[in-house]
Amino acid sequence: MSTDIDRLLHIMARLRDPGRGCPWDVKQTFATIAPYTVEEAYEVADAIDRGDFDDLRDELGDLLLQVVFHARMAEEQGRFDFRDVVASICDKMERRHPHVFGDASVEDAEAQTVAWEEHKRREREGKGEDRSVLAGIGRGLAEWQRATKLQQRAARVGFDWPGIEPVIAKLHEEIDEVREELEAGADRDRLEDEIGDVLFVCVNLARHARVDFGAALRRANHKFERRFRRMEQLAAADGVDLATLALEQQDAYWDRAKAEEKSRSE
């Protein structure tokens, strides 16, 4: 395994070599590579969602390459290298799992989650960092993930809805406010603010229903794509270009696509 890792580190060093490397790799920076890192993480999640383990193997390799890329750039600046990254995560995992690597004990996974966050809080305090219960929530997260984490953190100190019904009521309230702003001809900032409130409550609704918001949205995206592609197929079979049809006619194809799915599931 170490030989394979060393090979990968050598490949990245060669790619970044100013004299003999790849021009594209040489000119990259932390900022330009960051979007690719995020994209590769989503590709890993997509492979898992599809249950494609051959693809998952490849996507994990792509994600590992991103870690090696960032570490190489840091090494070139004399900041740290890949081995420092590995040592750092090893130290952190041992430190935050005293019930595994020490004498502490936890009752279950939920208790471990609470303990994990407490370890993180103490570490931040030890560094003199932000002591807010909301501290440490990354701003590089997808916004729905950040919303979930903000809500979870606030809930730990009791700032949370007592059940799902008040969340549903709040969702209706926020939708009504959007409607009022639209009717009043509100500007983009006002609409962005009110629609943002709707989305934040939707994340809260998913959390209270114990549904992963990202998984639910992925399912909705897949469903829409599947049905829309079937609409195109049905229209083509009728010798019709979907784009030339009125909305009512397009809706008819949508209904046919839905009906086909329903009949297959019965």
Side-chain angles (χ1 to χ4, degrees):
M1 179 62 71
S2 61
T3 301
D4 291 334
I5 290 295
D6 288 339
R7 179 185 173 201
L8 180 57
L9 294 174
H10 175 74
I11 289 171
M12 179 51 65
R14 179 64 184 275
L15 290 172
R16 288 280 297 177
D17 186 285
R20 334 178 271 166
C22 170
W24 186 90
D25 290 277
V26 170
K27 79 173 189 176
Q28 300 309 309
T29 66
F30 292 108
T32 61
I33 288 298
Y36 295 102
T37 308
V38 174
E39 180 181 342
E40 295 300 348
Y42 276 110
E43 293 291 346
V44 168
D46 179 61
I48 293 171
D49 191 51
R50 292 183 284 105
D52 188 336
F53 288 94
D54 287 337
D55 200 21
L56 176 59
R57 176 199 59 223
D58 292 344
E59 295 300 344
L60 286 170
D62 291 343
L63 185 57
L64 176 59
L65 180 65
Q66 295 298 307
V67 177
V68 170
F69 208 140
H70 285 287
R72 178 63 196 179
M73 291 188 290
E75 183 178 358
E76 292 167 357
Q77 297 178 16
R79 298 176 183 274
F80 57 82
D81 63 16
F82 180 77
R83 289 169 179 79
D84 294 323
V85 173
V86 174
S88 178
I89 189 58
C90 286
D91 291 344
K92 181 184 295 184
M93 295 305 288
E94 290 176 349
R95 185 172 66 248
R96 292 186 181 176
H97 290 84
H99 58 294
V100 176
F101 302 103
D103 299 327
S105 62
V106 291
E107 294 180 3
D108 51 30
E110 185 174 348
Q112 166 55 18
T113 299
V114 174
W116 176 274
E117 291 298 334
E118 178 60 19
H119 282 299
K120 290 172 64 176
R121 185 190 64 78
R122 289 201 298 266
E123 288 172 6
R124 286 194 298 270
E125 287 188 355
K127 296 177 181 178
E129 297 177 0
D130 186 355
R131 296 190 178 190
S132 169
V133 71
L134 302 181
I137 299 177
R139 295 186 178 275
L141 294 169
E143 292 301 334
W144 68 264
Q145 291 175 313
R146 192 158 188 271
T148 300
K149 287 183 176 291
L150 288 168
Q151 294 165 8
Q152 289 171 335
R153 291 282 189 88
R156 289 196 189 119
V157 296
F159 191 71
D160 196 10
W161 299 104
I164 199 166
E165 287 302 324
V167 184
I168 294 174
K170 184 64 175 177
L171 180 57
H172 286 295
E173 176 186 326
E174 296 295 351
I175 291 173
D176 286 341
E177 290 183 8
V178 171
R179 182 180 293 111
E180 291 171 5
E181 293 291 349
L182 287 168
E183 292 174 350
D187 61 23
R188 181 175 178 176
D189 284 345
R190 286 297 306 154
L191 289 174
E192 185 176 284
D193 189 60
E194 294 298 341
I195 291 174
D197 290 344
V198 171
L199 297 176
F200 193 81
V201 176
C202 284
V203 172
N204 235 327
L205 178 62
R207 183 174 62 88
H208 275 268
R210 298 184 181 277
V211 168
D212 181 273
F213 186 90
L217 187 55
R218 280 196 300 274
R219 177 174 290 192
N221 286 340
H222 291 163
K223 184 192 299 181
F224 178 85
E225 182 178 9
R226 184 176 66 246
R227 290 177 178 174
F228 190 87
R229 287 179 180 276
R230 184 53 181 158
M231 285 172 61
E232 292 176 318
Q233 292 171 354
L234 291 170
D238 290 341
V240 177
D241 181 355
L242 195 65
T244 65
L245 300 178
L247 180 58
E248 294 79 7
Q249 295 169 301
Q250 292 179 338
D251 277 339
Y253 280 111
W254 177 267
D255 290 339
R256 284 177 60 185
K258 285 178 60 177
E260 286 183 358
E261 286 189 3
K262 185 176 179 181
S263 65
R264 285 196 297 269
S265 63
E266 291 177 348

